[in-house]
Amino acid sequence: MSVNKLIDHTLLKASATKDQITKLCKEAIKYEFASVCVNTCWVAYCHSLLQGSDVKVCCTVGFPLGANATPVKVFETGNAIKDGAQEIDMVINIGEFLSGNYRMIENEIKEVVAAANGHCVKVIIETCLLNDEQIIKACEIVCKAKAAFVKTSTGFSTAGANPRIVKLMKDTVGDAVKVKAAGGVRNKEELKLMLEAGADRIGTSSGVALVSDE
């Protein structure tokens, strides 16, 4: 598989305009990326632009803090699927996780997975806020909840992905779920390190730079 097909071409800034979203989709088609990753308000628009292409619409849920009530995340997921989303990147409730409420985290992921109705769900655990033991625990919960991916970061917290953490996640989940590295992957060397560490998908706003020969 080409590297292009491993990239979620991402634009999640609050200031993103319709013209910028249009450009994102056109670039994703040109470079044959796996998906565009956007906020839920843009899902229907992206779906209309990407029809006829192999590029999927991915959107975030509970983004970027993860502190929304579970029914809100479930509704947001269902609404996004209705609008044409094919992949969901949800943020766990990090405060509840750090409080040791692991059952709540697992149940919330399961509810979002159910609302996604068979579509791919990636679970953002915000690794920069966790120690290694907590990262392992979060990965184990994602496996038990039967999501498709565990994802490093929102890109909106204190740090993004790094190869050591990606390897720790991959070593933990094995083949049970896939690993998405996101946040701070801006050049080809960083991309190479993430893939060598075991990342199955890369979330980045620098997709064109990562695959372009310019």
Side-chain angles (χ1 to χ4, degrees), residues 89-109:
D89 286 22
M90 68 164 287
V91 189
I92 65 166
N93 188 317
I94 300 156
E96 288 281 15
F97 177 84
L98 292 173
S99 299
N101 195 353
Y102 303 138
R103 180 174 294 181
M104 178 269 174
I105 301 299
E106 181 181 343
N107 288 340
E108 181 174 82
I109 296 169

Side-chain angles (χ1 to χ4, degrees), residues 36-184:
V36 297
C37 186
V38 296
N39 287 302
T40 48
C41 64
W42 296 113
V43 168
Y45 181 62
C46 290
H47 177 67
S48 70
L49 294 180
L50 294 170
Q51 284 190 20
S53 78
D54 291 330
V55 181
K56 295 179 180 179
V57 181
C58 171
C59 74
T60 54
V61 162
F63 191 86
L65 300 179
N68 313 61
T70 298
V72 176
K73 293 181 184 178
V74 170
F75 174 83
E76 189 176 16
T77 299
N79 192 71
I81 297 299
K82 177 179 65 68
D83 282 348
Q86 294 151 292
E87 298 189 348
I88 301 293
D89 286 22
M90 68 164 287
V91 189
I92 65 166
N93 188 317
I94 300 156
E96 288 281 15
F97 177 84
L98 292 173
S99 299
N101 195 353
Y102 303 138
R103 180 174 294 181
M104 178 269 174
I105 301 299
E106 181 181 343
N107 288 340
E108 181 174 82
I109 296 169
K110 285 179 176 178
E111 289 194 41
V112 169
V113 168
N117 197 27
H119 292 84
C120 172
V121 174
K122 311 187 198 93
V123 181
I124 305 170
I125 62 173
E126 204 69 286
T127 56
C128 61
L129 302 180
L130 310 178
N131 61 34
D132 286 6
E133 182 180 350
Q134 291 165 334
I135 290 168
I136 291 169
K137 182 63 178 178
C139 287
E140 290 171 346
I141 292 171
V142 173
C143 291
K144 286 180 66 179
K146 300 190 183 304
F149 280 77
V150 60
K151 177 178 170 183
T152 59
S153 321
T154 61
F156 283 71
S157 190
T158 56
N162 72 68
R164 187 188 74 80
I165 295 301
V166 169
K167 184 177 187 305
L168 176 64
M169 293 166 67
K170 189 64 177 178
D171 288 346
T172 302
V173 302
D175 296 326
V177 302
K178 295 181 179 180
V179 175
K180 177 175 173 179

